[in-house]
């Protein structure tokens, strides 16, 4: 089957959240042993989880997995990154050693980490690779999954970053990752990345999607100096005007990265699998925006973790239509916001599962009726 046809068939399998289950969850929240609405957004999270799973209570979100998509970006040769490209290689390896930000959190909380090489430019030692996203026991492997499409993308400042076929291939790798997470037993999924230069590609993609100017979107990434920042702004503005981009896949192919394309596919794949999925920071939320462009229903399954320190995050957030759970001035990437968000989601689900209703707790709730009736909370 033609890969693009297959991609669109998969995207078409996404179905909306279960409204009946969400209403049951709202009704239960209204009569739990507390003033209505007093748990704030934790209540909203538990209701959204019900819509994803199809049941108001008894949900389990404790089996967690984060997919990290690693790839390099040819645009770094323009001087738009503060770190050398070798860092992509080093950190991709370090994810499996649990030395990085997200992987150290994953180790502490016993979260699976699905690390995939979608297009790292430098050679990874063969012994660190695996060809399968699942072990024989059905677990997420500790090794790096080899799905390398090419040794990084081409320089988007000079030519299209990739072909449309390559972009589609990367997106299908993201679907494969979501399928693997589901088959491993994951009940909560997160999506991160590693790729020096990918704040440039994500800024260009967001500009192409929203029409915003580069100055509104482009930050210093990992610590870019003034000269590098000026170059980055110019490249983002020029890139949007350089290519004829008729649809989201064209945009992803011309000015995106293998990592971002794979993340788009992973978000869509999570929705196909009816699996709650957490958005990390700026790069992750741009990928989420493109997933929404391909099927708006995908946001029924998404939770935004943290408000990224990157300046373009707010525009992306408005485009996606989801509010972040917390603001810790984070800007690491990797999926590092996901473990923190996972614990918030666990808390929300625990209150729904374990709290008693007023009647079950033998509390006379008549005093709450006026508050509930007149929406006084």
């Amino acid at each position: 089957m033609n890969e693009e046809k297959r991609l669109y068939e998969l995207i078409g399998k996404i179905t909306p959240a279960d409204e009946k289950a969400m209403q049951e969850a709202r009704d239960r929240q209204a009569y739990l042993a507390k003033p209505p609405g007093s748990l704030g957004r934790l209540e909203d999270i538990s209701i959204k989880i019900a819509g994803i799973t199809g049941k108001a209570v008894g949900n389990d979100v404790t089996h967690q997995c984060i997919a990290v998509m690693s790839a390099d970006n040819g645009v770094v040769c323009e001087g738009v990154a503060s770190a050398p490209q070798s860092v992509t290689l080093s950190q991709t390896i370090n994810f499996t050693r649990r030395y990085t930000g997200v992987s150290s959190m994953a180790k502490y909380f016993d979260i699976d980490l699905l690390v995939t090489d979608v297009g790292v430019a430098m050679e990874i030692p063969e012994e660190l690779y695996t060809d399968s996203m699942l072990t024989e026991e059905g677990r997420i492997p500790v090794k790096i999954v080899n799905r390398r499409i090419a040794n990084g993308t081409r320089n988007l400042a000079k030519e299209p970053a990739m072909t449309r076929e390559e972009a589609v291939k990367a997106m299908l790798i993201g679907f494969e990752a979501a399928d693997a997470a589901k088959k491993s037993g994951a009940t909560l999924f997160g999506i991160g990345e590693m790729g020096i230069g990918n704040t440039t590609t994500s800024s260009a993609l967001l500009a192409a999607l929203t029409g915003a100017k580069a100055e509104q979107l482009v930050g210093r990434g990992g610590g870019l100096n003034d000269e590098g920042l000026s170059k980055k702004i110019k490249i983002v503005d020029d890139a949007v005007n350089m290519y004829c981009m008729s649809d989201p896949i064209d945009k992803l192919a011309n000015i995106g990265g293998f990592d971002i394309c794979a993340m788009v596919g992973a978000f869509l794949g999570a929705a196909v699998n009816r699996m709650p999925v957490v958005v990390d920071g700026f790069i992750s939320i741009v990928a989420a925006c493109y997933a929404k462009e391909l099927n708006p229903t995908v946001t029924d399954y998404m939770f935004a973790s943290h408000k990224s320190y990157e300046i373009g995050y707010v525009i992306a957030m408005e485009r996606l239509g989801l509010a972040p759970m917390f603001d810790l001035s984070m800007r690491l990437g990797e999926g590092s916001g996901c473990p923190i968000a996972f614990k918030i989601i666990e808390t929300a689900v625990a209150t729904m599962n374990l709290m008693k209703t007023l009647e079950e707790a033998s509390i006379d709730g008549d005093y709450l009726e006026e508050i509930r009736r007149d929406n006084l909370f």
Side-chain angles (χ1 to χ4, degrees):
M1 182 189 294
N2 174 278
E3 285 197 324
E4 187 164 335
K5 181 180 178 183
R6 178 171 164 244
L7 174 67
Y8 277 109
E9 285 186 359
L10 288 169
I11 292 170
K13 291 182 178 181
I14 299 171
T15 55
D18 187 326
E19 288 292 342
K20 182 174 181 291
M22 292 175 73
Q23 189 56 55
E24 289 174 2
R26 287 189 197 97
D27 292 344
R28 181 168 179 83
Q29 280 287 2
Y31 284 91
L32 288 178
K34 59 178 175 58
S38 58
L39 281 177
R41 290 182 59 196
L42 290 175
E43 298 185 16
D44 299 333
I45 291 168
S46 69
I47 292 166
K48 188 166 184 175
I49 289 289
I52 294 169
T53 65
K55 57 184 183 180
V57 294
N59 289 307
D60 178 6
V61 291
T62 59
H63 189 163
Q64 299 155 2
C65 176
I66 301 170
V68 181
M69 302 299 180
S70 293
D72 276 300
N73 302 274
V75 72
V76 297
C77 70
E78 299 290 336
V80 295
S82 59
Q85 201 167 54
S86 60
V87 173
T88 304
L89 171 67
S90 299
Q91 290 295 76
T92 299
I93 294 170
N94 284 333
F95 289 133
T96 65
R97 295 171 174 167
R98 301 300 190 259
Y99 289 172
T100 74
V102 69
S103 61
S104 63
M105 297 180 204
K107 181 178 181 178
Y108 182 83
F109 288 118
D110 195 24
I111 296 168
D112 288 331
L113 208 62
L114 178 55
V115 183
T116 304
D117 172 7
V118 198
V120 177
M122 297 182 179
E123 186 176 348
I124 291 174
E126 193 62 35
E127 64 269 19
L128 300 180
Y129 272 135
T130 178
D131 290 328
S132 178
M133 290 194 179
L134 289 172
T135 66
E136 291 182 359
E137 297 76 28
R139 297 296 306 274
I140 298 297
V142 177
K143 289 189 171 185
I144 300 162
V145 178
N146 186 358
R147 293 293 182 272
R148 184 188 298 225
I149 297 169
N151 296 338
T153 54
R154 292 174 283 279
N155 181 3
L156 66 86
K158 299 288 192 293
E159 60 182 319
M162 63 192 103
T163 65
R164 187 176 177 95
E165 291 74 20
E166 287 173 331
V168 168
K169 186 174 183 179
M171 292 170 71
L172 288 172
I173 291 167
F175 272 92
E176 183 187 2
D179 288 348
K182 182 73 172 183
K183 288 174 184 174
S184 76
T187 50
L188 188 54
F189 192 38
I191 299 173
E193 42 60 45
M194 181 64 225
I196 299 303
N198 61 10
T199 56
T200 300
T201 54
S202 51
S203 295
L205 286 168
L206 189 58
L209 194 61
T210 64
K213 294 296 183 184
E215 289 85 351
Q216 298 172 271
L217 306 174
V218 173
R220 295 184 184 272
L224 199 60
N225 62 25
D226 289 346
E227 180 183 359
L229 182 61
S230 296
K231 286 180 183 177
K232 189 173 174 181
I233 289 170
K234 184 177 188 306
I235 285 169
V236 168
D237 272 335
D238 289 348
V240 174
N241 299 317
M242 192 180 301
Y243 306 106
C244 177
M245 299 181 286
S246 60
D247 67 5
I249 297 179
D250 270 350
K251 292 181 175 75
L252 288 162
N254 283 296
I255 57 177
F258 294 133
D259 50 352
I260 297 173
C261 290
M263 293 165 78
V264 173
F267 280 118
L268 293 163
V272 170
N273 282 289
R274 297 194 72 86
M275 187 166 50
V277 61
V278 172
V279 182
D280 182 31
F282 180 59
I283 296 149
S284 188
I285 201 171
V286 170
C289 286
Y290 271 80
K292 182 182 179 182
E293 287 297 301
L294 290 161
N295 190 325
T297 305
V298 74
T299 57
D300 285 3
Y301 299 85
M302 290 179 179
F303 296 86
S305 60
H306 68 104
K307 180 183 177 184
S308 172
Y309 192 80
E310 284 288 320
I311 64 170
Y313 179 87
V314 172
I315 289 174
M317 179 185 68
E318 290 170 353
R319 183 79 181 197
L320 189 63
L322 298 177
M325 297 180 191
F326 55 93
D327 181 359
L328 298 175
S329 297
M330 292 171 64
R331 51 194 177 277
L332 174 61
E334 301 182 0
S336 56
C338 296
I340 305 167
F342 287 172
K343 299 309 151 185
I344 295 172
I345 294 170
E346 278 191 55
T347 302
V349 171
T351 58
M352 178 64 94
N353 287 344
L354 301 176
M355 280 186 76
K356 300 299 184 182
T357 63
L358 294 164
E359 182 179 0
E360 290 166 346
S362 302
I363 297 172
D364 182 354
D366 289 348
Y367 75 100
L368 293 171
E369 287 305 317
E370 181 183 1
I371 297 173
R372 192 177 289 111
R373 183 185 66 245
D374 296 334
N375 200 31
L376 301 176
F377 47 85

